[in-house]
Amino acid sequence: MKAKFLVPLVLFLVLAGFLAFGLNLNPREVPSPLIGKPAPVFKLGQVAAPEQAFGTEDLKGKVWLLNVWASWCVACRQEHPVLVAISREKALPIVGLNYKEVRGDGEIDARKLDAATEREMAVSRARQWLVSHGDPYDTSVMDLDGRVGIDFGVYGVPETFLIDKKGVIRFKQIGPVTPEAWRDTLLPKIRALQAES
Amino acid sequence: MISLRYWRAALVAAGLGLALPGFGGEAALVVADPVLEARVLKLSEHLRCLVCQNQSIAESQAELALDLRSQVREQLAAGKSDDEVVEFMVARYGDFVLYKPPVKMATLLLWAGPALLLVAGLGWLGWRLASRRREQPAELSAAEHARAEALLAGRDKEGES
């Protein structure tokens, strides 16, 4: 019973250990329940050709990346050069999901515009962004109302999903894809998935 | 002078009286179906906004919260039950959207923790009380008896014993 005076110290150290562990977790990274589940089916107009639909059906049998982006997204600007560099490697198809593009003329009151004009303005804004920042996408689709985004559980842009040949989501990168994340995490996973039959 | 002051006060009071109901009217939401809206709000209070994580989607004005709220409204209007809407959210965002986590293996400690602490505390208290009851008062030696008597009689002096 001589070591009794050490009890508070031990308790403190245990508590400090728990707190230190908690401090090093990233609260913004919420693990997605969709990993290991089939990717939500979508069919949306493309940025390049809004009247032409493109969707999950068109990617059957391929390992592909779905990158969620928008012209209003600041972290996307940081991520974009990395994606452009990745697209040059031609490792796999990269599909962009333009999530909730700025509506209308970007002013507070968008009521004066009808839906078709609003859509047109959003599409041209998205195109402009791809022209000035480079276009790493095989194609990008417009998710103006964010419905497909909700189906994918998107809560912070950019997000990137890795989808396998069977259409199952295998990995989700929350936040920008960095060169390290590409080299150390994404690329090895992609190679492994591509080797699957 | 007094009359002017009186009039001024009366005017201010009248202005306030007019203004207050005016504000009330402005704040009232124009909703098609108040019963549905009440359900939407009640359910939204239990769902976490993932953008501003310490707010429910009922409180938050983040874009995503607005979208999710309209999802809740739409699905309830379509005749889905509260549980079905919650299931929809959990399927997309995980248990994290729930302010009240479900009881399962991973959350067992969370749910049982307080009860376990209470039981452990009571157990420790019982053990302490029982062991104290078992303690025998120490027998006094003859010298100690003598000193105790001296103390009781008020004759003890420093260093005398």
Side-chain angles (χ1 to χ4, degrees):
Chain A
M1 268 311 182
K2 262 182 200 148
K4 212 173 179 178
F5 69 96
L6 280 176
V7 169
L9 180 68
V10 170
L11 282 179
F12 169 76
L13 286 178
V14 168
L15 185 64
F18 273 116
L19 292 178
F21 179 72
L23 271 177
N24 286 305
L25 293 176
N26 183 358
R28 302 221 67 93
E29 273 193 23
V30 182
S32 173
L34 286 168
I35 290 169
K37 302 250 169 69
V41 174
F42 66 82
K43 205 164 181 61
L44 291 168
Q46 302 179 50
V47 171
E51 64 289 336
Q52 248 181 304
F54 182 87
T56 29
E57 276 293 302
D58 300 292
L59 292 151
K60 268 218 166 124
K62 285 180 190 162
V63 177
W64 56 290
L65 275 187
L66 181 76
N67 176 252
V68 186
W69 68 282
S71 74
W72 50 262
C73 156
V74 180
C76 297
R77 282 166 199 254
Q78 179 197 337
E79 177 189 58
H80 214 68
V82 181
L83 284 180
V84 172
I86 287 171
S87 72
R88 291 210 191 92
E89 292 180 27
K90 299 219 176 299
L92 79 173
I94 305 175
V95 176
L97 179 73
N98 178 291
Y99 175 68
K100 286 175 79 75
E101 189 49 77
V102 181
R103 308 192 77 143
D105 49 9
E107 298 291 320
I108 291 167
D109 189 1
R111 278 177 301 185
K112 55 185 182 284
L113 300 165
D114 60 281
T117 327
E118 231 185 81
R119 192 171 178 82
E120 204 174 294
M121 285 173 128
V123 167
S124 77
R125 186 175 284 108
R127 279 183 196 156
Q128 231 167 29
W129 201 81
L130 289 179
V131 168
S132 55
H133 292 81
D135 185 355
Y137 305 114
D138 290 71
T139 186
S140 249
V141 291
M142 293 288 290
D143 181 24
L144 205 53
D145 56 11
R147 280 304 171 86
V148 173
I150 289 179
D151 282 344
F152 271 88
V154 170
Y155 63 89
V157 193
E159 288 181 16
T160 306
F161 297 84
L162 175 59
I163 296 151
D164 73 7
K165 289 178 185 170
K166 295 193 187 85
V168 175
I169 299 177
R170 301 297 288 264
F171 179 74
K172 178 185 182 184
Q173 167 88 20
I174 298 162
V177 173
T178 56
E180 295 76 42
W182 171 250
R183 195 187 55 221
D184 301 335
T185 316
L186 276 164
L187 197 55
K189 280 183 197 291
I190 290 165
R191 293 283 177 242
L193 289 180
Q194 282 172 338
E196 278 179 13
S197 55
Chain B
M1 265 347 234
I2 290 164
S3 68
L4 186 62
R5 225 178 264 167
Y6 170 77
W7 275 111
R8 221 178 265 164
L11 264 178
V12 169
L16 276 178
L18 281 175
L20 285 177
F23 276 124
E26 229 169 290
L29 268 172
V30 188
V31 287
D33 184 350
V35 180
L36 173 70
E37 209 52 34
R39 270 184 78 199
V40 170
L41 214 63
K42 193 156 181 297
L43 191 53
S44 299
E45 276 165 12
H46 297 291
L47 297 170
R48 186 194 303 272
C49 168
L50 281 104
V51 180
C52 27
Q53 299 180 347
N54 285 328
Q55 281 187 309
S56 71
I57 64 170
E59 303 160 318
S60 174
Q61 289 299 323
E63 279 268 324
L64 182 68
L66 296 177
D67 286 354
L68 291 180
R69 222 150 58 208
S70 63
Q71 275 281 339
V72 171
R73 184 177 302 117
E74 231 170 75
Q75 297 195 10
L76 287 180
K80 288 200 176 172
S81 72
D82 286 14
D83 286 344
E84 281 171 315
V85 176
V86 167
E87 227 168 81
F88 172 92
M89 295 294 169
V90 171
R92 282 155 183 78
Y93 295 100
D95 287 338
F96 191 67
V97 289
L98 303 175
Y99 266 117
K100 195 173 163 186
V103 184
K104 53 184 190 184
M105 275 316 280
T107 57
L108 212 56
L109 195 61
L110 182 72
W111 280 101
L116 282 179
L117 276 179
L118 183 69
V119 169
L122 285 176
W124 180 78
L125 186 70
W127 174 75
R128 283 293 296 165
L129 288 177
S131 65
R132 192 177 296 174
R133 204 170 303 131
R134 260 182 272 113
E135 271 172 27
Q136 297 293 326
E139 286 292 324
L140 294 183
S141 65
E144 281 167 334
H145 259 296
R147 187 167 172 229
E149 241 142 66
L151 277 170
L152 285 170
R155 281 186 280 106
D156 186 55
K157 294 274 159 14
E158 197 69 37
E160 207 181 60
S161 52

